[in-house]
Amino acid sequence: MNDDLSLHQRRRLPSQVELDGIPWLALLSAPERERAVAALLVGDAKVGDYVCRVGRPVTYWFGVVEGLLKMSTDNAQGQTMTFTGVPPGGWFGEGTAVKREPYRYNIQALRKSVVAGLPIDTFHWLLDHSIGFNRFVMNQLNERLGQFIAAREIDRLGNPDVRVARSLAALFNPVLYPGVREVLRITQQELAYLVGLSRQRVNEALAELQAQGAICVEYGGLRVLDLPALRESVFAAQAEAPVRRAIRAPGSPDAQAVMRG
């Protein structure tokens, strides 16, 4: 593979395994699926590659087969605001695709990823002909609305532990991201980028969430044990909770990075 080629130039036909990871294909009739599979392409994104950028015209509806992307935009001061992450199984940009308008956000790879693209004309053909596809897109839009309402709430939260908990809950959404299931492969630094906190503060929050039984931190990722707790629980904002004192204590094992990527 030539590393100088753009992601668009590196596009290729998907393998059968990659097609099996696209959730909406199973909802199509045989003729609809045949047309969709013939049009689908995938690209192997490197870290930092842009899948789409602000102001560019929409040409594909995109999904993540493997890896992790982030959705963000830059303000007038040049500061980056991250809206959400997009883990495996997630398809995004259906609102932009429906309206055929330029992108209002950037999508960038946080790690090596496999990204699938359905050409915009095929996307609209499926909207015109497939009830199953329409239901999938409608559910996507409904879940996306709830996700961004929750994101507004997260932005106003002063408790970093709750901020991390709610951000993790969004990444474990079974409708938007069916490829994640119980385990999310993400490093501590990647999560810090998505949440908008320092790596050290994310480490503390993860240790506290693990102590409360909501998650289990594993090498290179984490397992959710209690999704409702991540979504709904309000954690006490104790400045010096026992677990936090342990984390901050010199030489404490919990002071070490728990999610090395």
Side-chain angles (χ1 to χ4, degrees):
M1 181 185 299
N2 188 341
D3 289 340
D4 293 331
L5 297 178
S6 68
L7 178 59
H8 180 70
Q9 292 170 320
R10 297 197 303 269
R11 67 194 187 279
R12 57 178 173 79
L13 296 176
S15 68
Q16 186 58 53
V17 172
E18 291 165 339
L19 289 173
D20 290 342
I22 297 177
W24 49 267
L25 282 177
L27 305 176
L28 307 183
S29 67
E32 293 163 357
R33 178 184 172 88
E34 182 178 359
R35 182 160 183 154
V37 169
L40 278 163
L41 295 170
V42 296
D44 300 293
K46 299 178 294 184
V47 177
D49 274 350
Y50 283 93
V51 178
C52 53
R53 305 191 71 161
V54 173
R56 298 284 179 86
V58 58
T59 53
Y60 290 90
W61 180 48
F62 290 108
V64 181
V65 179
E66 297 177 12
L68 182 66
L69 311 181
K70 72 169 182 176
M71 178 183 292
S72 66
T73 189
D74 299 324
N75 62 21
Q77 290 72 43
Q79 298 171 322
T80 299
M81 176 184 297
T82 299
F83 298 126
T84 187
V86 188
W91 285 73
F92 57 89
E94 52 278 345
T96 301
V98 167
K99 293 181 286 187
R100 293 181 183 261
E101 66 178 16
Y103 290 108
R104 298 183 181 182
Y105 46 80
N106 299 316
I107 297 288
Q108 191 174 16
L110 284 178
R111 61 168 58 182
K112 288 183 178 180
S113 303
V114 178
V115 181
L118 182 71
I120 190 66
D121 288 340
T122 307
F123 174 87
H124 277 271
W125 185 90
L126 287 172
L127 284 181
D128 292 339
H129 294 85
S130 174
I131 294 176
F133 188 76
N134 271 273
R135 287 175 176 167
F136 182 87
V137 171
M138 182 175 64
N139 286 337
Q140 286 276 115
L141 291 169
N142 184 52
E143 289 290 327
R144 192 81 66 200
L145 177 60
Q147 181 187 51
F148 281 103
I149 290 174
R152 288 285 295 170
E153 179 186 11
I154 290 171
D155 285 340
R156 299 181 181 184
L157 293 174
N159 185 332
D161 296 335
V162 179
R163 187 183 181 95
V164 172
R166 302 291 171 80
S167 297
L168 284 175
L171 294 174
F172 279 99
N173 185 307
V175 176
L176 291 176
Y177 314 124
V180 174
R181 298 183 175 87
E182 293 84 14
V183 178
L184 176 66
R185 296 301 173 191
I186 189 170
T187 68
Q188 181 185 339
Q189 186 60 65
E190 289 167 345
L191 184 56
Y193 286 142
L194 297 179
V195 178
L197 296 170
S198 70
R199 178 172 176 168
Q200 174 62 25
R201 189 60 191 85
V202 166
N203 186 22
E204 295 179 10
L206 291 174
E208 191 150 335
L209 292 174
Q210 180 168 248
Q212 297 188 32
I215 63 170
C216 177
V217 176
E218 301 179 355
Y219 184 83
L222 56 89
R223 180 182 300 272
V224 63
L225 303 177
D226 191 345
L227 185 56
L230 291 179
R231 288 173 171 167
E232 302 167 9
S233 294
V234 179
F235 301 96
Q238 300 173 356
E240 290 297 331
V243 65
R244 193 165 299 163
R245 288 200 299 272
I247 293 170
R248 291 174 176 170
S252 167
D254 289 326
Q256 309 303 315
V258 294
M259 291 169 60
R260 301 184 183 276

